[in-house]
Amino acid sequence: MLDKFREECGVFGIFGHPEASNLTYLGLYALQHRGQESAGIAASDGTSVRHHKAMGYVNEAFDSDALAKLPGSLAIGHVRYSTAGESLVANAHPIVVDSVHGQLAVCHNGNLVNAGELRDALVRTGAIFQTSSDTEVVVHLFARSREEGVETAVVDAISQVRGAFSFVMMTRDRVIGVRDPHGFRPLALGRLGDAWVVCSETCALDLIGATYVRDVEPGELVIISKAGLKSIKPFAPARQSQCIFEHVYFSRPDSYVFGESVNEVRTQLGRALAREASVEADVIVPIPDSGVCAAIGYAEASDIPMRMGLIRNHYVGRTFIEPQQSIRHFGVRVKLNPVRSILEGQRVVLVDDSIVRGTTSRKIVRMVRGAGAREVHMRISCPPTLSPCFYGVDTPRRSELIAATHTLEEIRKYLDADSVAYLSLDGLTDAVRGGKSKYCTSCYTGVYPVAFPRDEAAYLQLALKLNPEPAKAETSAPIADLAKQIVVG
Ligand code: SF4
């Protein structure tokens, strides 16, 4: 397991193509990096919505028989990594219901911060939940809405949830794309001939030969039907808080996310890092694949050559069987192997996009030293990761984030590096259009744009940051006192 934040989910939808479910399958393939636990597709032929979902990668969850049972010119799909709810097929998306407003299929990327409160209230009035997914709350709110018609019932349901959401929904005869008013998660709009496509990242458009048109805007709801595309903005406007980690790590570098090339942003982060934290060295080595774009930028700005001094084994899948303890010294070598001819006798700058716990980085530094490097300098193309995410990204507890509990010098010693430097927050936000005014940076600052309920576990996580002696915080500080210190911007 690499030491990274875990991706959230990927969503895809298409309206008006006879091969809708096959194209959705391909779109999910392109979005596989956003979730590997389960995959699902719902399709409609205009009369009814059918769906199939299963655990595993897209190619494990579907075969040609499963796709053949999903006819129609409308389809939506989802790849999931569970950020809320357990990893079970019942929690896989799409969630499909039959209600007084007709059938609705829902795919969600994000995390609803008030799902627990809403769920409790719904259960008290008789709702029976089938899953532990936060998304099911929206389905119940839709089914119970007293509004007339599908569109107004969808708006009514979504108006009651808070947090991060990019939804792709489908009824018998329309596909609906929605982005929360803060715009945490991406959602792109494209065209394939006369068909419309909505998806998390533009790499999915590229795979099916579709053209990127624009992003669904924060707070926008697009309804695609035989009448064409209708756009409405039914929610109160809010401060934009697009997830900057999409650019740092989550999204594919060949995607455009929030209207910008991920590759360009990442390369710019590397350039900025070289300007802020230069060091005398012979070679720049990316930690593949995550550090490659930033290393290219770092090499460009520092005028030091970049070489692939670490080679990644791309064929390590989930089926890798851990050997017995006695021969487990493979460590990170199963995934990465050093190239001695590049590293031996050299002063090496290792570039990566983030450090979460530091466990993998330490192994890599030692491996590079073992291959003969004279000096190893670690450079990270984002600021220290200090706080957990409550908006749809799986982060470890605060106590496990190395930067939350250690000084820079302690991190250097732990990693066994000659020096360590992170990019500054300004360096990060200057690399994206709109900077701080349009992006969420909570995992670097602890300033949260959307309040979340007084959930004990969440507050305990934050407490660790707010108390200068982290080890004591969980036992000594009363939650109510700590809660007063939480910053919600
Ligand atoms: S806290 Fe970090 S990972 Fe979560 S939405 Fe904000 S920037 Fe993204």
Side-chain angles (χ1 to χ4, degrees), residues 12-88:
F12 183 96
I14 183 162
F15 179 95
H17 197 289
E19 297 266 354
S21 55
N22 286 333
L23 289 167
T24 302
Y25 173 79
L26 290 171
L28 295 183
Y29 230 98
L31 299 173
Q32 184 76 82
H33 61 289
R34 299 184 70 89
Q36 298 91 40
E37 286 188 0
S38 64
I41 297 176
S44 170
D45 56 5
T47 57
S48 73
V49 173
R50 300 173 179 86
H51 73 284
H52 173 86
K53 52 191 181 180
M55 301 305 286
Y57 285 24
V58 179
N59 64 344
E60 296 166 334
F62 287 91
D63 57 21
S64 46
D65 285 350
L67 287 169
K69 289 177 188 152
L70 299 172
S73 61
L74 297 69
I76 64 171
H78 192 261
V79 283
R80 179 168 196 262
Y81 169 69
S82 54
T83 51
E86 295 157 285
S87 176
L88 301 168

Side-chain angles (χ1 to χ4, degrees), residues 459-460 462-464 466-467 473-474 476-486:
Y459 274 86
L460 277 171
L462 290 167
L464 276 164
L466 297 165
N467 190 310
E474 284 194 83
S476 61
I479 302 293
D481 289 353
L482 294 164
K484 286 180 202 149
Q485 303 172 57
I486 306 300

Side-chain angles (χ1 to χ4, degrees), residues 5 8 164 184-185 241-246 250 385 387-395 428 439-444 447-449:
F5 279 7
E8 328 91 80
F184 279 104
R185 302 281 147 233
S241 305
Q242 300 173 137
C243 172
I244 206 153
F245 223 85
E246 292 279 354
F250 293 138
T385 312
S387 285
C389 175
F390 298 100
Y391 309 127
V393 173
D394 185 48
T395 48
L428 174 65
Y439 278 86
C440 172
T441 55
S442 304
C443 45
Y444 307 116
V447 178
Y448 289 88

Side-chain angles (χ1 to χ4, degrees), residues 337-354:
N337 201 28
V339 183
R340 183 171 278 275
S341 65
I342 291 176
L343 302 169
E344 196 159 33
Q346 302 295 298
R347 295 169 299 170
V348 176
V349 178
L350 280 179
V351 179
D352 204 358
D353 60 356
S354 54

